[in-house]
Amino acid sequence: MTNLEKYVKIIVEVGINIQKGQKLLVRCPVKSADFAHLVMAQAYQAGADDVVIEWSDPEGSRISYLHAPDSNFESAAQWQKDRVEHFASEGYNLLTISAADPEIFRGVDLERLSKHNDVLASVYKPLKAKVSSYEIQWCYVCLPTPAWAKMVFPNACEDKALELLWDAIFAAVRIGDGCPVENWRGHIEDLQQRVGELNRFNFKHLRFKNGLGTDLEVHLPEGHIWRASGEPAGTGVVNAPNIPTEEIFTAPSKYGTKGVVYATKPLQWSGNVVEDFWLRFEGGKVVDYDAKTGKDVLAKLLSSYENADYLGEVALVPINSPLAQLGLTWYHTLFDENSACHLGLGNASVTCNKNKTTPEINQAGGSQEITIGSDCLEVIGVCGDGGEVVILKDGNFVPFA
C-alpha cells in the first residue's frame, strides 16, 4: 500500500473503526473531496450501512465573515438544526477531516467569529453531546494544505513544503513498516497500560514545573479517571478519537488550579495565532496573562463563552514519541497537543469522572488546548497521604515501582 492508502486504512479501521451495519457522517472541506471519497469507499468496504459527507468551505466562510451582513451570523436556519438532529438521533458516528489554512480568518472581526461560533455550537449541540459523552465513535484527522505547509516549513518552496508536511504527518500517525493497523493497536495497548498505572494512584493534585517559569498546581476531583484512546465507545466499539494520539488525560477540579504556566508552542484559535504567552491562575480561573503576539486574540478566547477561562483538561504526553521527535511546531492543535503535555481551557469530558454529573469539573461551551510540555518539564503527582510520585522527568514518563 502507499502511505496515503495506509493513512486511510488507519482512519477507518482504527480511528473511527466503523463496523458492519453502522452509519458514518464525514465532515470535510470541499477542496479535500478526493480524500473524503477514499475514506468513504474504505468505510463501505468495512461494512458501513451509510456514509454521508457534509462539506465545508473555509475560504467561502472567510468571504462571508468579511462582507456579509451581521444578521448572517446571529442565527441558524431550521433545516440546519434538523439535519444535525437527524444524524444524532439516527446514531451516525462522526469523522471530522480538517484541511485548512491556520490563518484563514486572520483579519476577520473576532466579534463575528465568536458570535457565529456560538450559533454553530447550538446547531451541533446534539452531536457534540454524543461526542462529549463518548456515546458514538468519533475521530478527528488532518490533511496538509499549502498555506499550512508554508507555516511549518517557511524556508521551503510551496511544493516542497507540502511534500515535507505530508511526510511529517505520515511519520506522526505511525505508518512505519508492516501493517499500520497492527502498529496502532500495539500503540493503543501501551497507552491503556499507562492509564491503568495512573488510575491506581488516585492523585489529589499535580505539580508542573519547568525552566521557562511554569510553576502550577492542578487539583484533581474525587472520582477522576485518567483516559486515553483504546476504550470502548457507547456503541461497544473501541476506537481512537484522534489520529495521531499520544495523550493520557483527565478532567481537573474546576476551582483547584493555581500558579503560572508558560506555553511552549503557539496557540491557534479561529484562524489566529497566539505566540510566546503565559497564564496565571487563582481559584481555577485565569486572572492574568500576556502574549508577545496575539494578546487580543487570547483575550477574546478567554471571554468567548462562559467558563472559557477555567481548565477542563490536563493531559500528559511524553516528548520521546515519534510525533514529538519530529521537533516541529505544527501550528495545529491536534498535532501540537499530541507532541507535548497540555492543558485544555473550557469544557471537560464527563467521561473523565466516575460521577458524570459532578459540579467539580468545568462545563463550558468549547475547548482550547495550550501546549506546556518541554524537555525540562517535571510533573509530580501528590497522593492523599501526602506521598509524591514523579510522573514525568525531563518531559518523559518515569517507570513506576
Side-chain angles (χ1 to χ4, degrees):
M1 291 186 293
T2 67
N3 283 342
L4 189 64
E5 289 172 326
K6 290 179 180 180
Y7 191 24
V8 171
K9 194 172 182 67
I10 290 170
I11 290 169
V12 174
E13 296 189 20
V14 179
I16 199 69
N17 196 10
I18 200 72
Q19 301 293 301
K20 184 176 177 59
Q22 289 189 320
K23 299 175 181 179
L24 178 63
L25 172 64
V26 180
R27 300 179 65 194
C28 181
V30 66
K31 65 182 179 183
S32 300
D34 289 346
F35 187 85
H37 292 153
L38 290 176
V39 169
M40 188 179 195
Q42 186 72 31
Y44 276 126
Q45 289 174 27
D49 182 60
D50 188 29
V51 182
V52 177
I53 302 179
E54 181 179 83
W55 304 109
S56 62
D57 180 13
E59 288 75 17
S61 295
R62 175 180 173 81
I63 293 171
S64 295
Y65 282 130
L66 290 174
H67 304 295
D70 290 341
S71 58
N72 282 33
F73 312 106
E74 294 173 353
S75 62
Q78 188 60 45
W79 68 263
Q80 293 175 295
K81 300 176 184 178
D82 292 342
R83 177 180 171 85
V84 173
E85 181 59 46
H86 168 76
F87 293 131
S89 63
E90 292 297 316
Y92 278 75
N93 298 298
L94 177 63
L95 172 64
T96 301
I97 300 172
S98 171
D101 174 356
E103 296 186 304
I104 186 69
F105 297 131
R106 179 179 286 275
V108 169
D109 185 341
L110 292 178
E111 194 66 39
R112 281 192 164 196
L113 277 172
S114 179
K115 186 179 294 184
H116 197 221
N117 283 341
D118 288 344
V119 171
L120 292 177
S122 67
V123 169
Y124 283 94
K125 188 175 181 179
L127 269 179
K128 181 178 172 56
K130 289 181 176 289
V131 166
S132 181
S133 64
Y134 206 19
E135 186 176 338
I136 60 173
Q137 295 140 246
W138 63 273
C139 186
Y140 182 78
V141 302
C142 291
L143 301 180
T145 63
W148 178 23
K150 282 295 290 180
M151 288 189 71
V152 181
F153 300 102
N155 297 323
C157 68
E158 185 174 285
D159 288 347
K160 184 61 177 179
L162 192 60
E163 178 186 340
L164 289 170
L165 187 54
W166 265 118
D167 289 343
I169 288 176
F170 290 147
V173 301
R174 296 172 171 261
I175 283 178
D177 299 323
C179 177
V181 172
E182 291 305 315
N183 292 344
W184 262 90
R185 287 174 179 162
H187 172 49
I188 286 173
E189 287 178 6
D190 292 341
L191 288 174
Q192 284 300 309
Q193 180 179 349
R194 179 66 64 173
V195 164
E197 292 171 343
L198 288 171
N199 277 327
R200 71 182 173 90
F201 285 107
N202 192 27
F203 294 121
K204 293 300 180 183
H205 65 266
L206 307 174
R207 290 206 306 267
F208 295 80
K209 289 189 177 183
N210 69 17
L212 299 176
T214 291
D215 188 356
L216 192 73
E217 184 172 290
V218 179
H219 283 249
L220 302 179
E222 187 65 31
H224 72 272
I225 303 170
W226 290 95
R227 298 190 60 220
S229 284
E231 301 172 7
T235 59
V237 177
V238 173
N239 76 297
N242 288 330
I243 300 289
T245 184
E246 304 288 342
E247 65 174 342
I248 298 170
F249 60 95
T250 191
S253 175
K254 180 177 179 180
Y255 303 106
T257 300
K258 61 181 178 180
V260 64
V261 61
Y262 284 77
T264 53
K265 289 195 175 185
L267 178 155
Q268 192 274 336
W269 182 69
S270 292
N272 297 275
V273 177
V274 183
E275 298 181 285
D276 296 330
F277 66 99
W278 56 264
L279 304 171
R280 183 177 298 279
F281 291 83
E282 289 182 10
K285 182 184 176 72
V286 177
V287 295
D288 197 11
Y289 57 88
D290 200 3
K292 184 176 180 179
T293 303
K295 184 176 181 179
D296 59 330
V297 177
L298 183 57
K300 191 63 183 176
L301 165 64
L302 293 170
S303 61
S304 59
Y305 49 84
E306 187 177 5
N307 296 326
D309 47 1
Y310 287 85
L311 289 186
E313 180 185 78
V314 55
L316 305 179
V317 183
I319 64 167
N320 61 1
S321 71
L323 196 164
Q325 289 300 299
L326 292 170
L328 298 174
T329 297
W330 293 83
Y331 296 98
H332 197 295
T333 298
L334 176 62
F335 288 86
D336 282 327
E337 75 167 358
N338 278 294
S339 62
C341 293
H342 58 272
L343 303 173
L345 290 167
N347 196 50
S349 172
V350 295
T351 62
C352 286
N353 200 283
K354 295 175 183 177
N355 177 12
K356 295 183 179 181
T357 60
T358 179
E360 287 191 75
I361 62 175
N362 192 20
Q363 297 296 286
S367 61
Q368 178 63 54
E369 285 71 24
I370 297 169
T371 305
I372 65 170
S374 69
D375 60 5
C376 61
L377 179 67
E378 180 181 66
V379 181
I380 294 176
V382 180
C383 303
D385 61 2
E388 297 185 353
V389 178
V390 179
I391 304 174
L392 282 91
K393 181 74 174 178
D394 298 327
N396 283 314
F397 283 115
V398 174
F400 295 139

